[in-house]
Amino acid sequence: MINDKKVLFSGMQATGNLTLGNYLGALKNWVTLSDEYECFYSVVDMHSITVRQDPATLRKRARALLTLYIAAGLDPEKNCIYYQSHVSGHAELAWILNCFTYMGELNRMTQFKDKAAKHADNINAGLFTYPVLMAADILLYQADVVPVGIDQMQHLELTRDIAERFNNIYGDVFTIPEAYIGKVGAKIMSLQDPSKKMSKSDENPNASIYLMDDPDTIMRKCKRAVTDSQAQILYRDEQPGVKNLIDIYSACTGMKPDEVVKEFDGKGYGEFKLAVGEAVVSVLRPLQEEVARLNKDKAYIDGIIKENAEKAGYYANKTLRKVQKKVGFPERIR
């Protein structure tokens, strides 16, 4: 608890460009959480380097992501928005937790297997112990809740196991985090393969709508979206492409899927795709305008980076000092 509020932690990697799916599924819904929780939102740039990154590009994308957090409506006065790499406690706690995590547990992590298959030329130790750093991210702030998708649930379960193991040895040190169950964001699928989620790492440029795509690009991608030959706008699993477009339109307009079906009853896919594109453009335009405004105010963003790193560091060090004392590290002489 901080300021009589439960603590919530979440973060996104500073790789690739955020998609419409990231925004509608997560970022948009984070905005209201600061009323109920003390929120820590990290740009998890340390996680990013398990895959080789161009340094200048990583720095640029990290700043762009932090700016997007703010542009999306996250108030940096109410939420702690910071770079993971600016708080050394993440790495320090991760090392300690490595010593309380079993090889067998890490071997079972499905994401390691997936990433190792994709990056066979760079299967590094960081890729293997990635879930321990994720546990450190969460436990460092004594997070009560963590918004996670189904693909991250395995990592949260490992975090809970590590925390409980440590607590069983040393007493009540870590808060045991729970998965955040709140308003469910829209699950947006690929425009070219609606059987998988829209991804910022998709190699097909037409599969994902990126938050900074210009209107012409958005309209073109929507027009090229995969549908089917049934020529009916119905919300059903048998038409995954059409269903995905209905989900996008619903999320952008606030309409329910059955209301969308009713609105476009008897109309063709071409007209529907055009409407979807226009709805996406209308949602992303104010976000893009705010990003442009913030990018012109370098001093403001720099101030947030500095102040929130100090705030995150303060709470991280409270936990870290407690953990260091428990495991037997000598106290620092001040």
Side-chain angles (χ1 to χ4, degrees):
M1 299 282 283
I2 297 177
N3 299 324
D4 296 322
K5 291 182 178 179
K6 288 186 175 182
V7 177
L8 179 148
F9 175 88
S10 193
M12 293 184 182
Q13 282 204 46
T15 52
N17 298 305
L18 290 195
T19 70
L20 182 69
N22 296 131
Y23 179 67
L24 297 177
L27 191 52
K28 182 181 178 183
N29 298 308
W30 287 0
V31 175
T32 60
L33 296 177
S34 62
D35 295 333
E36 184 178 355
Y37 298 100
E38 190 72 27
C39 299
F40 290 82
Y41 293 118
S42 182
V43 174
V44 289
D45 47 351
M46 290 171 66
H47 285 293
S48 301
I49 65 169
T50 57
V51 176
R52 294 285 179 263
Q53 303 292 334
D54 174 72
T57 301
L58 180 60
R59 281 190 286 271
K60 182 179 179 181
R61 284 178 170 169
R63 189 178 181 96
L65 178 54
L66 186 139
T67 302
L68 265 172
Y69 281 174
I70 300 166
L74 293 177
D75 186 345
E77 298 293 327
K78 294 181 179 179
N79 304 278
C80 188
I81 303 169
Y82 71 101
Y83 293 139
Q84 181 190 30
S85 62
H86 283 193
V87 181
S88 62
H90 286 266
E92 293 183 72
L93 182 58
W95 170 251
I96 295 172
L97 296 184
N98 267 321
C99 301
F100 292 85
T101 307
Y102 300 130
M103 295 286 286
E105 292 174 314
L106 295 178
N107 276 324
R108 288 194 293 271
M109 295 293 108
T110 55
Q111 282 211 348
F112 169 71
K113 296 173 185 176
D114 293 342
K115 289 190 175 183
K118 291 179 181 177
H119 304 281
D121 60 335
N122 183 28
I123 305 175
N124 56 74
L127 196 63
F128 187 63
T129 61
Y130 174 104
V132 183
L133 178 57
M134 184 178 288
D137 298 338
I138 297 165
L139 299 177
L140 198 57
Y141 301 101
Q142 304 290 351
D144 296 280
V145 293
V146 184
V148 289
I150 190 66
D151 56 334
Q152 296 290 351
M153 190 61 73
Q154 190 183 36
H155 289 165
L156 181 60
E157 288 301 321
L158 178 63
T159 299
R160 288 170 54 85
D161 290 342
I162 295 170
E164 288 172 352
R165 184 175 301 138
F166 195 94
N167 286 355
N168 287 337
I169 298 170
Y170 296 109
D172 190 16
V173 178
F174 292 123
T175 299
I176 307 300
E178 302 283 347
Y180 170 74
I181 306 298
K183 182 181 178 182
V184 178
K187 186 176 181 181
I188 305 303
M189 312 304 283
S190 163
L191 295 180
Q192 294 298 310
D193 181 2
S195 67
K196 64 181 185 180
K197 284 175 62 176
M198 183 177 287
S199 171
K200 58 183 180 179
S201 61
D202 200 309
E203 294 180 359
N204 187 335
N206 292 311
S208 302
I209 294 173
Y210 301 108
L211 296 189
M212 301 310 294
D213 277 348
D214 62 72
D216 288 344
T217 299
I218 292 170
M219 296 302 295
R220 185 177 68 253
K221 289 180 178 180
C222 287
K223 288 176 183 177
R224 293 177 178 175
V226 169
T227 48
D228 52 56
S229 60
Q230 297 188 39
Q232 286 184 295
I233 300 171
L234 297 173
Y235 192 70
R236 56 184 185 177
D237 293 338
E238 293 82 1
Q239 294 179 265
V242 175
K243 184 180 180 182
N244 186 40
L245 290 174
I246 292 174
D247 281 332
I248 293 172
Y249 192 77
S250 296
C252 290
T253 62
M255 296 174 65
K256 295 178 181 178
D258 60 332
E259 294 173 332
V260 178
V261 170
K262 186 176 180 180
E263 178 182 345
F264 290 95
D265 182 36
K267 297 181 180 178
Y269 287 163
E271 186 175 350
F272 179 47
K273 289 180 179 181
L274 184 66
V276 172
E278 290 172 346
V280 173
V281 168
S282 68
V283 164
L284 295 187
R285 181 181 290 114
L287 175 71
Q288 294 174 353
E289 291 173 349
E290 182 64 4
V291 167
R293 187 189 71 80
L294 290 169
N295 283 338
K296 293 176 182 177
D297 197 343
K298 182 177 183 297
Y300 173 69
I301 298 298
D302 286 349
I304 289 170
I305 291 170
K306 181 177 184 295
E307 291 167 16
N308 281 356
E310 291 171 353
K311 179 180 177 181
Y314 169 78
Y315 289 108
N317 284 332
K318 286 179 69 174
T319 297
L320 189 61
R321 283 195 297 269
K322 184 188 297 185
V323 172
Q324 289 171 333
K325 184 176 181 180
K326 290 290 186 181
V327 299
F329 290 172
E331 289 190 32
R332 296 185 184 186
I333 299 173
R334 304 182 185 280

